[in-house]
Amino acid sequence: AIVLITARGEAIAEATRAQVESFGIPVSAIYARPEGDNRVDWKVKTEALAKFLADGFVPVIAFDDKARNCEVFAPHCPTVLV
């Protein structure tokens, strides 16, 4: 399963899913920033990752464009790429 954890807001979560799926990549779930949440990305992603794990998903690979966010995923995922 491909699951997105994004710091983009929930208001555009479905647009984000559609954009990814337009490239032929099926998305099983998406975890997005709650509306009104102004915390830094890594804190949002830490919380989203906890929900992801609680939902029974097991990470295999993670991609992010910020090294600090990759630090969130590294303890739980065998491959993390910036």
Side-chain angles (χ1 to χ4, degrees):
I2 295 174
V3 177
L4 303 179
I5 295 177
T6 180
R8 294 178 179 184
E10 288 176 341
I12 61 169
E14 288 309 312
T16 300
R17 176 196 299 261
Q19 182 181 23
V20 172
E21 289 182 339
S22 75
F23 294 103
I25 302 168
V27 176
S28 297
I30 186 166
Y31 295 82
R33 177 190 300 271
E35 289 307 313
D37 186 338
N38 297 315
R39 294 176 295 161
V40 294
D41 292 355
W42 69 267
K43 289 185 179 182
V44 172
K45 291 187 177 189
T46 298
E47 185 176 288
L49 178 61
K51 291 177 185 175
F52 167 91
L53 295 170
D55 287 344
F57 290 109
V58 177
V60 176
I61 190 168
F63 303 91
D64 203 290
D65 61 344
K66 296 178 183 169
R68 179 63 183 100
N69 294 341
C70 288
E71 293 173 13
V72 169
F73 299 108
H76 307 279
C77 190
T79 304
V80 180
L81 303 171
V82 178

